[in-house]
Amino acid sequence: MTEQVFLGGGGEDYGTPQGLALKYANRHGLIAGATGTGKTVTLQILAEGFSNAGVPVILSDVKGDLSGLAKPGSDSHKLHGAFTARAEKIGFADYGYHACPVAFWDLYGEQGHPVRTTVAEMGPLLLARLLELSEAQEGILNIAFRLADEEGLPLLDLKDLQALLVWIGENRSELSLRYGNVSTASIGAIQRRLLVLENQGGAGLFGEPALALSDLMRCDASGKGMVNILAADKLMAAPGLYSTFLLWLLSELFEELPEVGDPDKPRLVFFFDEAHLLFDDAPKALIDKVEQVARLIRSKGVGVYFITQNPADVPEDILGQLGNRIQHALRAFTAKDRKNLRLAAETYRENPRFPTEEAIREVGVGEAVTSMLQKKGVPGVVERTLIRPPSSQLGPITQQERAAILKASDMAGKYDTPLDRRSAYEILAQRAQTAAQEAETSEAEAEESPQPMAREFNAARRYSGSRVSRSTSRTSRKKDTFTSAMSEAVIKELKGTTGRRIVRGILGSLFRGR
């Protein structure tokens, strides 16, 4: 089975091997089924199969059960007899217990190596999705990212973005003329959403050192692919953060990996558990982005597998690109359930031995309706398949075992200590400090000036003429009788109402805005 990931046995007596061809594993897939039907175990045996074939895997551990991939199964396990009996029934002669090379990751840095990215790498579209911003608020976020590029302000962590938003609010009048209306109310709303994200622990996601994708695409010394497990049991309390992080990771793979065409096996397989969280209330722009990534990322050697309860959770345009399908049982208690069941059955290539809709409703725990891509990428006939038992431990490992794996990992120490280099927050703080010092110096110089008129002269911002000193010579004024006469006439006029208006006009224009 070197060219396939062995899934289990099908046919009349479950003795016909069913497998997922590695050549078509980058054509994406779907694992669906109601709660308690065996989706997690199916995910576990797929991860084992890809790892054995030298393909690195990324998956999220929503319930904590998948940490057992790091430890071999045991003859003393209560299901050992059932496992060996099933292996014999489906013709799995090489069945035995073994572990997979595992790397644990955690956004909170508690159950695995810390995972970080920068605000700039996340981008405004995904960040707006994470913060649940309105269209107007998303527009201001786009302005912030544009200004960060133009002003040379690196956006690394949340305090960088918060500082930049404060700066935008202080300069909103000038920025509105260039970018459109910048509302303080919208800026305040974004700041509040950032505060909520901090309270959820999301601040730890942003910063440096940022995760290097090459660390997720490693093999061990024996050539087995590394199984990268993201601890998501606590993360699921913030579903927006969970789905946005996985979507960011998928986008980064799409943007950074080179084209490889159709390889003999994938370079990486990405499992997206609880996939409905990605599409619930998602804007059309985001769904279009996911569809684009799903369509094009296969040419970069990456296979994406969505795990969800119902195929209807995945938009049709994306569902149509998932060629490899494992469908566990679906419940059909309501009219909507029956409709979804019928729609799910219609997406399979029919098998003359049984009705597909009936099979999806009746398969038991550990059994599934499968359809895998065959030669030339043609979907195979749907088959009832008894899923093979796992070779790694079924269920979680202990905290002590997890700690030992983390300590021995090649990634130990690389991401543990956060870095806080000079970025937008520090640059803007320095600008503000410099401006305050200049203002203080200017005020001090003005206070030290002995002439009150000099302070008035310095405060006249719109005055552009040259300064003329007053003459103290009386004889010079008497020499020019014509000048004296004119001066007396002007002084007399200034004593009247018209004169006072003129003075108010002149002084208002000179000293307005002091």
Side-chain angles (χ1 to χ4, degrees), residues 425-467:
Y425 175 81
E426 289 78 13
I427 294 173
L428 291 173
Q430 183 177 4
R431 287 185 185 179
Q433 184 178 4
T434 302
Q437 290 174 349
E438 291 177 352
E440 185 178 352
T441 302
S442 178
E443 288 182 6
E445 291 176 353
E447 291 295 332
E448 292 174 359
S449 177
Q451 298 293 334
M453 291 301 296
R455 290 197 298 270
E456 294 294 329
F457 175 81
N458 292 332
R461 298 176 184 176
R462 299 190 181 184
Y463 186 83
S464 59
S466 60
R467 185 179 183 186

Side-chain angles (χ1 to χ4, degrees), residues 105-107 109 113-117 204-206 211 230 245 248 415:
W105 304 90
D106 186 2
L107 264 67
H113 306 297
V115 180
R116 300 184 191 90
T117 183
L205 170 61
F206 299 100
L211 177 66
L230 174 69
F245 168 74
W248 164 79
Y415 297 101

Side-chain angles (χ1 to χ4, degrees), residues 5 20 22 25 46-55 57 225 266 269 271 305:
V5 173
L20 192 163
L22 288 172
L46 282 176
E48 289 177 3
F50 283 121
S51 177
N52 293 337
V55 179
V57 171
V269 172
F271 290 98
Y305 289 73

Side-chain angles (χ1 to χ4, degrees), residues 80-307:
H80 171 70
F83 286 169
T84 54
R86 174 170 292 198
E88 183 178 354
K89 184 174 184 178
I90 63 177
F92 193 10
D94 297 334
Y95 178 65
Y97 294 125
H98 64 80
C100 295
V102 166
F104 292 109
W105 304 90
D106 186 2
L107 264 67
Y108 302 111
E110 298 172 356
Q111 301 183 68
H113 306 297
V115 180
R116 300 184 191 90
T117 183
T118 64
V119 172
E121 287 178 345
M122 179 67 73
L125 177 61
L126 290 180
L127 196 56
R129 156 74 168 171
L130 175 59
L131 300 176
E132 299 179 350
L133 301 183
S134 66
E135 184 177 351
Q137 295 160 2
E138 184 178 350
I140 291 179
L141 198 61
N142 277 279
I143 293 174
F145 275 78
R146 172 65 68 86
L147 286 171
D149 292 338
E150 294 177 351
E151 297 287 332
L153 301 172
L155 295 177
L156 303 181
D157 51 28
L158 286 189
K159 72 176 186 296
D160 290 329
L161 181 57
Q162 291 166 333
L164 180 57
L165 289 171
V166 171
W167 184 83
I168 290 174
E170 293 172 345
N171 297 272
R172 62 186 181 279
S173 299
E174 294 81 0
L175 295 175
S176 294
L177 296 176
R178 180 175 179 184
Y179 297 106
N181 183 44
V182 176
S183 167
T184 54
S186 294
I187 294 176
I190 299 174
Q191 295 281 38
R192 288 192 296 272
R193 295 305 304 171
L194 289 173
L195 179 61
V196 172
L197 181 61
E198 281 185 305
N199 292 338
Q200 293 176 342
L205 170 61
F206 299 100
E208 291 185 320
L211 177 66
L213 294 182
S214 58
D215 289 337
L216 301 176
M217 304 179 67
R218 298 176 296 129
C219 293
D220 69 356
S222 64
K224 288 187 176 182
M226 188 67 65
V227 179
N228 299 279
I229 301 178
L230 174 69
D233 48 351
K234 181 180 177 181
L235 185 58
M236 291 303 296
L241 181 61
Y242 166 77
S243 60
T244 303
F245 168 74
L246 290 183
L247 184 56
W248 164 79
L249 188 56
L250 188 61
S251 299
E252 286 294 295
L253 291 169
F254 170 70
E255 292 174 3
E256 293 193 16
L257 294 181
E259 298 278 345
V260 295
D262 282 322
D264 293 334
K265 63 181 180 181
R267 299 178 62 191
L268 179 71
V269 172
F270 186 102
F271 290 98
F272 203 127
D273 203 356
E274 300 293 341
H276 66 279
L277 296 175
L278 173 60
F279 305 109
D280 286 349
D281 301 321
K284 186 177 185 303
L286 184 60
I287 294 178
D288 291 343
K289 175 70 173 178
V290 177
E291 181 186 351
Q292 178 191 25
V293 170
R295 184 187 307 112
L296 301 178
I297 201 172
R298 72 177 185 87
S299 63
K300 302 192 175 189
V302 177
V304 182
Y305 289 73
F306 294 97
I307 299 96

